[in-house]
């Protein structure tokens, strides 16, 4: 396992408490990983924070990490500018990886059910993009849950997948929508929505 230095290339804020970081690897370097795996960022004091890659392996010259702000967080407070020195674009970040046994199993024909909550969407995004790149045709159903609609911070992308991929179905689920949200989709807890739709998952791969 190799330690790399990643230069932070861009930070996007799709919603106020989520940052989508794009890490540019050094020239001629590419991290080989499986869709769904994660890396550990190594902070200056030696502590580590784990984040899944949100980008598919064929796009590995630039790594995408989804980070939710946790008040008091050693990494997220500087990233969101709460404490100084702030983490900013063009900073050099050290990380180690890839790690983890959560990744797309490509040797199966079973339909897939994917379940995510909040920024747990990141590894699922990598898996869906990889499956699309590899022309996987088995059915994929994604359930993505959040407290408010804004927590589904890439909702539009999921709708785009559903429109463009005939084997892909997207079910957003919101647990605590407010009247001003105007939410008309599924409500409640995301895992319960899965259980309602799939009382028997024995014939599926669940991610």
């Amino acid at each position: 396992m190799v330690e790399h230095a990643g230069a932070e290339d861009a930070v996007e804020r799709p919603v106020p408490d989520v940052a989508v970081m794009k890490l540019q690897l050094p020239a001629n370097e590419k991290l080989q990983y499986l869709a769904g795996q994660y890396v550990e960022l190594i902070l200056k004091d030696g502590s580590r924070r784990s984040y899944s890659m949100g980008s598919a392996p064929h796009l590995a010259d630039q790594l995408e990490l989804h980070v939710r702000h946790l008040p008091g967080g050693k990494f997220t407070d500087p990233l969101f500018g709460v404490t100084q020195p702030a983490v900013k674009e063009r900073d050099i970040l050290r990380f180690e990886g890839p790690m983890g046994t959560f990744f797309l199993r490509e040797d199966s024909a079973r339909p897939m059910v994917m379940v995510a909550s909040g920024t747990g969407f990141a590894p699922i995004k990598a898996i869906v993009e990889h499956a699309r790149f590899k022309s996987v045709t088995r059915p994929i159903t994604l359930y993505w849950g959040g407290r408010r609609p804004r927590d589904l911070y890439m909702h539009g992308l999921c709708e785009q997948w559903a429109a463009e991929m005939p084997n892909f179905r997207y079910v957003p689920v919101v647990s605590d929508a407010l009247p001003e949200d105007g939410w008309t989709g599924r409500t409640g807890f995301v895992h319960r929505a899965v259980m309602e739709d799939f009382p028997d998952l024995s014939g599926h791969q669940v991610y």
Side-chain angles (χ1 to χ4, degrees), residues 7-57:
E8 187 176 336
D9 192 49
V11 179
E12 300 170 3
R13 301 279 173 81
V15 292
D17 63 342
V18 173
V20 176
M21 301 172 56
K22 305 288 182 66
L23 303 183
Q24 187 68 44
L25 295 184
N28 302 318
E29 282 199 28
K30 192 169 185 177
L31 181 67
Q32 294 186 334
Y33 62 93
L34 300 173
Q37 290 189 301
Y38 68 94
V39 295
E40 288 189 344
L41 294 186
I42 304 171
L43 307 186
K44 290 182 179 179
D45 66 357
S47 59
R48 295 168 177 249
R49 296 294 182 269
S50 300
Y51 296 103
S52 297
M53 272 76 76
S55 44

Side-chain angles (χ1 to χ4, degrees), residues 5-206:
E8 187 176 336
D9 192 49
V11 179
E12 300 170 3
R13 301 279 173 81
V15 292
D17 63 342
V18 173
V20 176
M21 301 172 56
K22 305 288 182 66
L23 303 183
Q24 187 68 44
L25 295 184
N28 302 318
E29 282 199 28
K30 192 169 185 177
L31 181 67
Q32 294 186 334
Y33 62 93
L34 300 173
Q37 290 189 301
Y38 68 94
V39 295
E40 288 189 344
L41 294 186
I42 304 171
L43 307 186
K44 290 182 179 179
D45 66 357
S47 59
R48 295 168 177 249
R49 296 294 182 269
S50 300
Y51 296 103
S52 297
M53 272 76 76
S55 44
H58 67 281
L59 303 172
D61 56 332
Q62 188 180 66
L63 301 183
E64 179 180 302
L65 308 181
H66 298 190
V67 182
R68 182 177 296 280
H69 181 216
L70 298 175
K74 281 186 179 181
F75 178 67
T76 62
D77 270 1
L79 178 63
F80 284 82
V82 176
T83 58
Q84 299 298 322
V87 175
K88 57 189 183 302
E89 293 182 11
R90 305 296 178 185
D91 280 356
I92 301 297
L93 300 178
R94 294 174 62 232
F95 65 87
E96 188 175 12
M99 300 180 180
T101 57
F102 180 82
F103 54 83
L104 177 64
R105 267 59 176 182
E106 300 183 52
D107 57 350
S108 171
R110 289 187 291 171
M112 294 181 281
V113 175
M114 300 185 176
V115 189
S117 177
T119 50
F121 171 70
I124 297 297
K125 176 177 178 287
I127 288 174
V128 173
E129 289 182 339
H130 180 65
R132 187 177 191 180
F133 177 72
K134 300 287 282 188
S135 300
V136 172
T137 58
R138 42 188 176 128
I140 302 172
T141 305
L142 166 62
Y143 292 80
W144 189 10
R147 295 184 60 227
R148 303 272 304 279
R150 67 185 184 191
D151 293 325
L152 310 180
Y153 53 90
M154 290 188 173
H155 177 68
L157 175 63
C158 297
E159 290 186 318
Q160 180 182 337
W161 289 339
E164 296 175 353
M165 299 169 63
N167 63 320
F168 180 84
R169 176 172 170 251
Y170 171 49
V171 184
V173 185
V174 172
S175 62
D176 297 312
L178 298 179
E180 59 263 33
D181 292 329
W183 181 252
T184 58
R186 294 282 286 273
T187 58
F189 294 113
V190 65
H191 67 281
R192 292 196 176 278
V194 177
M195 293 165 63
E196 289 169 4
D197 294 352
F198 293 92
D200 181 6
L201 285 165
S202 59
H204 294 73
Q205 275 192 336
V206 181

